[in-house]
Amino acid sequence: MPDLRGKRILLGVTGSIAAYKAADWLRSLVKEEARVTVVMTEAAERFVSPLTFSALSGQSVYRDMFDEAPDRIMAHINLSREADAILVAPATAQTIARLAHGMADNLLSTVILAARIPVIICPAMNSFMLSHPATQDNIRRLESFGYHFVQPGSGELACGEIGDGRLSDWDVARETLLSLFQPNDLKGQTVLITAGPTREALDPARFLTNRSSGKMGFALARTARRRGAEVILVAGPVQLSDPPGIEAVHVTTAEEMRRAVMDRATTADVVVKSAAVADFRPLVCADHKIKKGQQGIQLDLIKNPDILAELGAMRTHGRILVGFAAESRDHADEGQRKLREKNVDLMVVNDILGASTGFDVETNQVTLIDRREALTLPLLSKEETADRIWDKVLQLQSESSAA
Ligand code: CTP
């Protein structure tokens, strides 16, 4: 299950103005049923009261190296033994410097020095402090030790300056955290995913499109990234934010999608076409709004390029091609036909009439059809479905390299 349920997270909060945001992150972690223990530095307590964190985590906050309570005497050793990962958020320049030099002069730095579990650091500071060579050196040094960094965001900072140094959004840190608990089995691979609908303009005000939300394609992008892949996501118009850590290319029409895919497909080890490409577009797009004046109108439509079939026709050895078929009837037959006709390795077939498998829902139930077998998966979340698709892709890759 690609979520944080039951994961034991040690949240280290240090003395930045962004410390109040860590309280919100803690809430999100608790909502996902992660088990969170909080360690605060003295400076962090100047910004937010430990009471806030203990109320939200349901246990008292660790603050002092020399706490004499019997269960806390060896806290600097025990805390990391009892955790799956350490998340330092926000991490100040001072804490980063401490950790880079192996200092053990407060509880948090001592815990981290004694830890043998993954550490994620989320810097938050003034942009000059962040770009200073000393901080940059410290970050590189910590990266060389295997620490993970979450890129700070850009924008207006508490000091009034505009630049890099804002604590990242929770979603970005969450993705890094989730990737720790996933196999890194797509590392070294570039995957190109298409998602969402396309729009084909009729006039300046109107277009033809379909009901695709892009959720399945975005789930594929997030899960592939978590499993270590370099991800290129070519998305039609959707109401979703770009997953962190990927290259997102936004397009509108089928023709634009085709160009974006063809420009990048040669670098991809896997291409997954989950987009619902409009099959037809208006022969002409009127320069001005079409007036209703008459009783009815005839639309002249011409066929759009079939991007997947084009990729299938110019297959390169080793590249896995995956297509989607959203069907309302004859699902298996249609999947088999498209597998053959488009010359792809895998078709993912789903039923668009099902209440939990149709458009714009969080779940899906698909059948994976390859040249040897058809495998029907249970009803799963779109992320779980995406993970099963990646498992299948890896299986097809290992079968093809063994052949
Ligand atoms: N596809 C594509 N370019 C198109 C149409 C479809 O790349 N112009 C891809 C889709 O992204 C999907 C697969 O082909 O991966 C199947 O799409 P689908 O719409 O189910 O099939 P069609 O080819 O449109 O066939 P039909 O209209 O007969 O269902």
Side-chain angles (χ1 to χ4, degrees), residues 194 273-279 304-309 322-327 334 337-338 342 347:
T194 67
K273 286 234 62 251
S274 69
V277 186
D279 286 330
N304 267 327
D306 189 321
I307 309 167
L308 186 59
V322 182
F324 270 67
E327 304 292 344
E334 280 299 284
R337 173 177 74 79
K338 291 176 187 176
K342 302 199 187 212
M347 283 302 298

mmCIF file of all heavy atoms in Angstrom, residues 194 273-279 304-309 322-327 334 337-338 342 347, ligand 1:
data_model
loop_
_atom_site.group_PDB
_atom_site.id
_atom_site.type_symbol
_atom_site.label_atom_id
_atom_site.label_comp_id
_atom_site.label_asym_id
_atom_site.label_seq_id
_atom_site.Cartn_x
_atom_site.Cartn_y
_atom_site.Cartn_z
ATOM 1 N N THR A 194 1.237 9.738 -20.912
ATOM 2 C CA THR A 194 0.295 10.791 -21.331
ATOM 3 C C THR A 194 -0.955 10.670 -20.473
ATOM 4 O O THR A 194 -1.318 9.574 -20.030
ATOM 5 C CB THR A 194 -0.095 10.686 -22.820
ATOM 6 O OG1 THR A 194 -0.854 9.498 -23.015
ATOM 7 C CG2 THR A 194 1.128 10.688 -23.720
ATOM 8 N N LYS A 273 0.360 5.251 -22.622
ATOM 9 C CA LYS A 273 -0.566 6.230 -23.202
ATOM 10 C C LYS A 273 -1.920 6.121 -22.507
ATOM 11 O O LYS A 273 -2.824 5.458 -22.985
ATOM 12 C CB LYS A 273 -0.693 6.004 -24.713
ATOM 13 C CG LYS A 273 0.533 6.477 -25.474
ATOM 14 C CD LYS A 273 0.225 7.459 -26.616
ATOM 15 C CE LYS A 273 -0.403 8.732 -26.222
ATOM 16 N NZ LYS A 273 -1.770 8.980 -26.547
ATOM 17 N N SER A 274 -2.008 6.790 -21.367
ATOM 18 C CA SER A 274 -3.297 6.719 -20.676
ATOM 19 C C SER A 274 -4.209 7.872 -21.077
ATOM 20 O O SER A 274 -5.338 7.961 -20.607
ATOM 21 C CB SER A 274 -3.093 6.685 -19.164
ATOM 22 O OG SER A 274 -2.615 7.923 -18.700
ATOM 23 N N ALA A 275 -3.718 8.773 -21.926
ATOM 24 C CA ALA A 275 -4.563 9.910 -22.336
ATOM 25 C C ALA A 275 -5.742 9.434 -23.169
ATOM 26 O O ALA A 275 -5.648 8.451 -23.913
ATOM 27 C CB ALA A 275 -3.736 10.898 -23.159
ATOM 28 N N ALA A 276 -6.853 10.165 -23.036
ATOM 29 C CA ALA A 276 -8.014 9.913 -23.887
ATOM 30 C C ALA A 276 -7.939 10.927 -25.034
ATOM 31 O O ALA A 276 -8.470 12.038 -24.926
ATOM 32 C CB ALA A 276 -9.293 10.079 -23.085
ATOM 33 N N VAL A 277 -7.237 10.539 -26.067
ATOM 34 C CA VAL A 277 -7.009 11.455 -27.193
ATOM 35 C C VAL A 277 -8.292 11.556 -28.016
ATOM 36 O O VAL A 277 -8.911 10.540 -28.330
ATOM 37 C CB VAL A 277 -5.871 10.901 -28.088
ATOM 38 C CG1 VAL A 277 -5.516 11.910 -29.179
ATOM 39 C CG2 VAL A 277 -4.645 10.540 -27.266
ATOM 40 N N ALA A 278 -8.673 12.786 -28.366
ATOM 41 C CA ALA A 278 -9.872 12.943 -29.215
ATOM 42 C C ALA A 278 -9.581 12.289 -30.565
ATOM 43 O O ALA A 278 -8.549 12.567 -31.185
ATOM 44 C CB ALA A 278 -10.183 14.416 -29.393
ATOM 45 N N ASP A 279 -10.472 11.415 -30.998
ATOM 46 C CA ASP A 279 -10.238 10.720 -32.268
ATOM 47 C C ASP A 279 -10.410 11.645 -33.464
ATOM 48 O O ASP A 279 -9.822 11.420 -34.510
ATOM 49 C CB ASP A 279 -11.219 9.546 -32.397
ATOM 50 C CG ASP A 279 -10.812 8.403 -31.475
ATOM 51 O OD1 ASP A 279 -9.604 8.250 -31.218
ATOM 52 O OD2 ASP A 279 -11.710 7.675 -31.007
ATOM 53 N N ASN A 304 -7.882 12.494 -36.090
ATOM 54 C CA ASN A 304 -6.601 12.887 -35.489
ATOM 55 C C ASN A 304 -5.581 11.777 -35.689
ATOM 56 O O ASN A 304 -5.960 10.616 -35.897
ATOM 57 C CB ASN A 304 -6.794 13.128 -33.985
ATOM 58 C CG ASN A 304 -7.097 14.574 -33.670
ATOM 59 O OD1 ASN A 304 -6.609 15.474 -34.363
ATOM 60 N ND2 ASN A 304 -7.887 14.804 -32.648
ATOM 61 N N PRO A 305 -4.305 12.103 -35.592
ATOM 62 C CA PRO A 305 -3.306 11.036 -35.670
ATOM 63 C C PRO A 305 -3.478 10.078 -34.495
ATOM 64 O O PRO A 305 -3.813 10.520 -33.385
ATOM 65 C CB PRO A 305 -1.973 11.780 -35.561
ATOM 66 C CG PRO A 305 -2.300 13.091 -34.922
ATOM 67 C CD PRO A 305 -3.704 13.414 -35.337
ATOM 68 N N ASP A 306 -3.269 8.796 -34.721
ATOM 69 C CA ASP A 306 -3.287 7.827 -33.618
ATOM 70 C C ASP A 306 -1.847 7.699 -33.108
ATOM 71 O O ASP A 306 -1.003 7.056 -33.727
ATOM 72 C CB ASP A 306 -3.829 6.474 -34.100
ATOM 73 C CG ASP A 306 -4.050 5.530 -32.925
ATOM 74 O OD1 ASP A 306 -3.211 5.523 -31.998
ATOM 75 O OD2 ASP A 306 -5.060 4.806 -32.925
ATOM 76 N N ILE A 307 -1.602 8.352 -32.002
ATOM 77 C CA ILE A 307 -0.221 8.468 -31.495
ATOM 78 C C ILE A 307 0.321 7.098 -31.096
ATOM 79 O O ILE A 307 1.461 6.734 -31.412
ATOM 80 C CB ILE A 307 -0.176 9.429 -30.280
ATOM 81 C CG1 ILE A 307 -0.873 10.751 -30.636
ATOM 82 C CG2 ILE A 307 1.247 9.670 -29.831
ATOM 83 C CD1 ILE A 307 -1.174 11.644 -29.442
ATOM 84 N N LEU A 308 -0.515 6.323 -30.419
ATOM 85 C CA LEU A 308 -0.048 5.013 -29.948
ATOM 86 C C LEU A 308 0.251 4.099 -31.131
ATOM 87 O O LEU A 308 1.281 3.408 -31.144
ATOM 88 C CB LEU A 308 -1.108 4.386 -29.029
ATOM 89 C CG LEU A 308 -0.694 3.090 -28.346
ATOM 90 C CD1 LEU A 308 0.551 3.269 -27.475
ATOM 91 C CD2 LEU A 308 -1.831 2.539 -27.478
ATOM 92 N N ALA A 309 -0.637 4.119 -32.128
ATOM 93 C CA ALA A 309 -0.408 3.262 -33.296
ATOM 94 C C ALA A 309 0.880 3.686 -34.012
ATOM 95 O O ALA A 309 1.640 2.844 -34.507
ATOM 96 C CB ALA A 309 -1.603 3.346 -34.243
ATOM 97 N N VAL A 322 2.599 0.777 -23.629
ATOM 98 C CA VAL A 322 1.383 0.420 -22.905
ATOM 99 C C VAL A 322 0.247 1.336 -23.380
ATOM 100 O O VAL A 322 0.407 2.556 -23.422
ATOM 101 C CB VAL A 322 1.568 0.610 -21.376
ATOM 102 C CG1 VAL A 322 0.311 0.187 -20.616
ATOM 103 C CG2 VAL A 322 2.793 -0.157 -20.882
ATOM 104 N N GLY A 323 -0.869 0.732 -23.723
ATOM 105 C CA GLY A 323 -2.036 1.516 -24.128
ATOM 106 C C GLY A 323 -3.170 1.313 -23.148
ATOM 107 O O GLY A 323 -3.176 0.365 -22.360
ATOM 108 N N PHE A 324 -4.115 2.215 -23.180
ATOM 109 C CA PHE A 324 -5.315 2.099 -22.359
ATOM 110 C C PHE A 324 -6.521 1.969 -23.271
ATOM 111 O O PHE A 324 -6.539 2.560 -24.355
ATOM 112 C CB PHE A 324 -5.493 3.350 -21.488
ATOM 113 C CG PHE A 324 -4.819 3.237 -20.153
ATOM 114 C CD1 PHE A 324 -3.438 3.188 -20.059
ATOM 115 C CD2 PHE A 324 -5.567 3.180 -18.986
ATOM 116 C CE1 PHE A 324 -2.807 3.076 -18.822
ATOM 117 C CE2 PHE A 324 -4.960 3.076 -17.744
ATOM 118 C CZ PHE A 324 -3.578 3.022 -17.662
ATOM 119 N N ALA A 325 -7.508 1.211 -22.834
ATOM 120 C CA ALA A 325 -8.748 1.140 -23.591
ATOM 121 C C ALA A 325 -9.900 1.279 -22.606
ATOM 122 O O ALA A 325 -10.130 0.391 -21.773
ATOM 123 C CB ALA A 325 -8.850 -0.180 -24.343
ATOM 124 N N ALA A 326 -10.546 2.422 -22.661
ATOM 125 C CA ALA A 326 -11.698 2.653 -21.795
ATOM 126 C C ALA A 326 -12.926 2.267 -22.612
ATOM 127 O O ALA A 326 -13.257 2.930 -23.580
ATOM 128 C CB ALA A 326 -11.751 4.123 -21.400
ATOM 129 N N GLU A 327 -13.576 1.179 -22.220
ATOM 130 C CA GLU A 327 -14.635 0.618 -23.074
ATOM 131 C C GLU A 327 -15.968 0.579 -22.333
ATOM 132 O O GLU A 327 -16.011 0.498 -21.104
ATOM 133 C CB GLU A 327 -14.270 -0.816 -23.489
ATOM 134 C CG GLU A 327 -12.917 -0.945 -24.186
ATOM 135 C CD GLU A 327 -12.876 -0.284 -25.559
ATOM 136 O OE1 GLU A 327 -13.955 0.011 -26.110
ATOM 137 O OE2 GLU A 327 -11.764 -0.036 -26.073
ATOM 138 N N GLU A 334 -12.067 -5.929 -27.337
ATOM 139 C CA GLU A 334 -11.537 -4.634 -27.777
ATOM 140 C C GLU A 334 -10.077 -4.477 -27.335
ATOM 141 O O GLU A 334 -9.239 -3.963 -28.074
ATOM 142 C CB GLU A 334 -12.389 -3.484 -27.210
ATOM 143 C CG GLU A 334 -13.666 -3.251 -27.986
ATOM 144 C CD GLU A 334 -13.379 -2.879 -29.431
ATOM 145 O OE1 GLU A 334 -12.993 -1.738 -29.683
ATOM 146 O OE2 GLU A 334 -13.515 -3.754 -30.312
ATOM 147 N N ARG A 337 -7.982 -6.583 -29.584
ATOM 148 C CA ARG A 337 -7.878 -5.990 -30.930
ATOM 149 C C ARG A 337 -6.882 -4.832 -30.916
ATOM 150 O O ARG A 337 -5.992 -4.745 -31.773
ATOM 151 C CB ARG A 337 -9.264 -5.486 -31.381
ATOM 152 C CG ARG A 337 -9.233 -4.707 -32.691
ATOM 153 C CD ARG A 337 -10.622 -4.291 -33.158
ATOM 154 N NE ARG A 337 -11.210 -3.186 -32.404
ATOM 155 C CZ ARG A 337 -10.897 -1.898 -32.586
ATOM 156 N NH1 ARG A 337 -9.996 -1.548 -33.492
ATOM 157 N NH2 ARG A 337 -11.484 -0.968 -31.871
ATOM 158 N N LYS A 338 -6.981 -3.971 -29.917
ATOM 159 C CA LYS A 338 -6.092 -2.798 -29.879
ATOM 160 C C LYS A 338 -4.647 -3.221 -29.599
ATOM 161 O O LYS A 338 -3.710 -2.601 -30.099
ATOM 162 C CB LYS A 338 -6.602 -1.776 -28.856
ATOM 163 C CG LYS A 338 -7.908 -1.134 -29.320
ATOM 164 C CD LYS A 338 -8.525 -0.188 -28.307
ATOM 165 C CE LYS A 338 -9.903 0.254 -28.791
ATOM 166 N NZ LYS A 338 -10.621 1.096 -27.845
ATOM 167 N N LYS A 342 -2.465 -1.962 -32.647
ATOM 168 C CA LYS A 342 -1.548 -0.856 -32.329
ATOM 169 C C LYS A 342 -0.141 -1.373 -32.031
ATOM 170 O O LYS A 342 0.760 -0.582 -31.744
ATOM 171 C CB LYS A 342 -2.089 -0.030 -31.165
ATOM 172 C CG LYS A 342 -3.485 0.549 -31.461
ATOM 173 C CD LYS A 342 -3.850 1.703 -30.567
ATOM 174 C CE LYS A 342 -5.303 2.096 -30.816
ATOM 175 N NZ LYS A 342 -5.565 3.520 -30.626
ATOM 176 N N MET A 347 -2.159 -3.801 -22.917
ATOM 177 C CA MET A 347 -3.335 -2.924 -22.933
ATOM 178 C C MET A 347 -3.986 -2.986 -21.558
ATOM 179 O O MET A 347 -4.147 -4.074 -20.987
ATOM 180 C CB MET A 347 -4.366 -3.383 -23.979
ATOM 181 C CG MET A 347 -4.044 -3.053 -25.418
ATOM 182 S SD MET A 347 -3.798 -1.305 -25.816
ATOM 183 C CE MET A 347 -5.383 -0.602 -25.432
HETATM 184 N N1 CTP B 1 -4.721 6.748 -28.738
HETATM 185 C C1 CTP B 1 -3.774 7.556 -29.306
HETATM 186 N N2 CTP B 1 -4.124 8.443 -30.275
HETATM 187 C C2 CTP B 1 -5.405 8.525 -30.701
HETATM 188 C C3 CTP B 1 -6.388 7.687 -30.133
HETATM 189 C C4 CTP B 1 -6.008 6.804 -29.139
HETATM 190 O O1 CTP B 1 -2.615 7.486 -28.911
HETATM 191 N N3 CTP B 1 -5.719 9.374 -31.659
HETATM 192 C C5 CTP B 1 -4.321 5.798 -27.696
HETATM 193 C C6 CTP B 1 -4.931 6.097 -26.346
HETATM 194 O O2 CTP B 1 -4.094 6.954 -25.591
HETATM 195 C C7 CTP B 1 -5.039 4.729 -25.718
HETATM 196 C C8 CTP B 1 -5.246 3.797 -26.906
HETATM 197 O O3 CTP B 1 -4.784 4.520 -28.046
HETATM 198 O O4 CTP B 1 -3.853 4.329 -25.095
HETATM 199 C C9 CTP B 1 -6.656 3.364 -27.123
HETATM 200 O O5 CTP B 1 -7.482 4.488 -27.220
HETATM 201 P P1 CTP B 1 -9.035 4.315 -27.455
HETATM 202 O O6 CTP B 1 -9.646 5.664 -27.511
HETATM 203 O O7 CTP B 1 -9.569 3.307 -26.476
HETATM 204 O O8 CTP B 1 -9.071 3.596 -28.836
HETATM 205 P P2 CTP B 1 -9.234 4.122 -30.281
HETATM 206 O O9 CTP B 1 -7.955 3.946 -30.993
HETATM 207 O O10 CTP B 1 -9.824 5.474 -30.291
HETATM 208 O O11 CTP B 1 -10.237 3.042 -30.873
HETATM 209 P P3 CTP B 1 -11.842 2.975 -30.882
HETATM 210 O O12 CTP B 1 -12.313 4.341 -31.297
HETATM 211 O O13 CTP B 1 -12.119 1.921 -31.885
HETATM 212 O O14 CTP B 1 -12.275 2.593 -29.507
#
